[in-house]
Amino acid sequence: MYRLLSRQPPVIRLSQATLLEISKNSIPGLQVSVQFCRCKSSSNDYIHESIVPSDHFQKSLPRLPIPKLEQTCERYLASQAVLQTEQEHASTKQLVDEFLKGEGKELHEQLVQRDQQNKHTSYISEPWFDMYLKDRRPLSLTHNPFITFTDDPRPEYMDQLVRATNLVVSSLRFMKTYRANLLEPDVYHLNPKKSDTLQFRKFVRMLPQAISFYGAYWYKAFPLDMSQYPNLYNSTRIPKHDKDVLFTDSSAKHMLVIRKGHMYLFDAIDRDGNIVSPETIMSHIKYILNDPRPPNEYALGVLTTMERDKWSTVRTQLCNAGDMNESAFFSSGVMNEGYMKLVDSALFVLALDDTTPEDPNEITRNFLHGDGTNRWFDKSFSLILTKDGRAAVNFEHAWGDGVAVLRYFNEVWKESTTKPFVHPSTVPSNVDSALTVQNIEFALDPKLKEYIDEARTTYATKCSSLDVDHLEYDKFTKECLKKQKLSPDAILQLVIQMAYYKQYNKTVATYESCSTAAFRHGRTETIRSATHATKKACEMFNQQNNTYSVGDLREALEQSSKYHGQLTKEAAMGQGWDRHLFAMKYYAAQEGTVPMLYQDPGYTNINHIILSTSTLSSPSVVIGGFGAVTHNGYGVGYAVENERIGFNVTNYPPETNVHEFIECLKESLDDINAVFEGRNPRST
């Protein structure tokens, strides 16, 4: 019946399911020679396949509200009252009253009008991007934080090659899952037993995107904004004079690997859009690890530690430096500019360090700043692995906040530690990595080499001026605080206030970041966690003469927790005062006039952040941190978990002493623990 054009049976590569179907319904007269092969199914590239599309809720997310001006002013004054003398506060209150009746009212109305004309985004999006991109300070130690992965529970998988391969593969699978719209949407489940279910997913999947949020809300589940995710991969912050730009090229398929300051490229995605095999990735990484060359004397990465206008100038000179040698990534004679485009468009950075940091302070220094030679701080994120397999992410902050990064972090850690693609026994593929992995070497003239030397020296001085210390505490933990019916985050914020009060006998401007991802294009709002309640608690706990009973101190803890909970709720719902005042100031400055409220020393003081705090609690995170944001302040990363409480703190001596502060944190935790045990902490 069927006429074959070849004497030999056709060679057909089919999946096993198709072969079974053929065997059931064989066609008489058709001879088929079957060759079993490991067919690459697109599902192999996904971490999971959500039945609810990743972007299902995006269109129906509520818009970030602009608070009422009167409420913003009230909240602002409440935060100021804790920091000011009566005379200072009276002066600030007068300026607020004038602002409320005059310029502030007009600015608020203009902000509301502008917001109504831009319903696709939020009122804070443009000002917040500009705040980051116009900042001329270096990224490292100023903006880029780090998060360290918990070690793989199996020591044999902590080998640098094995772990790097598994983390890279899982990172690529996370990317493919999101881009295929198959990543489970970010949803905050108020009642997980009711909403984090298959029934919930089937229900919301059937709803039109325009109303899907409201269906989730009926289940007391709150979808979160995912608009930052596209910038996680193939993205770079490019330095420009006055204002940097964010660049993304999602078509690029190559990775950037840095080791000993040398830069390498290889394709991690094939021409069909599939992830190359784990064994091939392993072969490429092994080839790079085996490169016997000494450290690069003129490692370009250190240039990304420069002040942004200076780096913009140097980068322009670098891109115009001339033709390359014959070994180019795509063709011979590629210009420096071509190499820079490959760096900018790379999927992400894999930094392979030769260091083996031993204690948490060394780990912080390695992952927060390093010496700059084995980094490219401009990339959206860098996956860093030490020689002994410790791993971390250092990420640029302009493009997004901790929500997107932590989701990536959790998914990649979970898969790489439970379903790894390579093992200690895995043999890398026999692909010739020498032909596939390309080492890129920029043409450097004497002036560019001088810039690199200068950047290295300046950065070393800056890093040496930073001090770090950490604390782990286990006398009480998250579960204990819940049993005490106290907010874990509120109590940790109180501990930070108490520690600073112990050290300096005063209350200062404090910043706690709170995500507003519950709204379309939301970013963050500030929780001003130095409050009248925490100030009173600090004074009570530091009395040396047993003035207050255990019951009094317990009441102070409860009041601090209650008020902090109120502030947290307001911030998460877009009802803080910081972003509202900031946006009005931003647009007023564009018009060339800044109201007197913003020229008040009180406004300057409350925005000179002495205690910059942030928390990330997750089983996948062992330690994280960031640089202090002011010369006389502390950068306080903290976590409260079921097994421990942790602090990781940075500062710039000599105006502050991080080691004394850590000791004050411990004493403050002990004071609170004494109350839990029914003891007055000042009793002998």
Side-chain angles (χ1 to χ4, degrees), residues 505-551:
N505 197 37
K506 61 181 179 179
T507 297
V508 292
T510 306
Y511 182 109
E512 180 185 1
S513 180
C514 178
S515 173
T516 52
F519 302 96
R520 189 187 313 163
H521 291 192
R523 293 292 304 244
T524 62
E525 180 56 91
T526 305
I527 302 171
R528 291 288 180 164
S529 45
T531 67
H532 65 275
T534 60
K535 186 174 184 179
K536 182 178 180 181
C538 289
E539 294 168 348
M540 293 172 66
F541 271 90
N542 279 277
Q543 286 286 338
Q544 299 299 317
N545 54 6
N546 290 342
T547 303
Y548 299 100
S549 67
V550 172

Side-chain angles (χ1 to χ4, degrees), residues 433-485:
S433 293
L435 297 177
T436 310
V437 177
Q438 301 297 321
N439 172 229
I440 57 173
E441 296 183 6
F442 287 74
L444 301 176
D445 58 32
K447 186 61 178 177
L448 287 168
K449 292 180 179 180
E450 183 181 320
Y451 283 137
I452 292 172
D453 287 337
E454 176 189 333
R456 184 186 290 113
T457 301
T458 301
Y459 190 57
T461 301
K462 178 70 172 178
C463 293
S464 65
S465 72
L466 181 82
D467 205 356
V468 303
D469 207 349
H470 71 283
L471 171 67
E472 289 198 17
Y473 189 87
D474 61 4
K475 291 183 182 179
F476 67 87
T477 59
K478 186 175 184 178
E479 288 303 311
C480 172
L481 291 170
K482 286 184 175 181
K483 289 179 181 178
Q484 297 284 340
K485 297 183 179 180

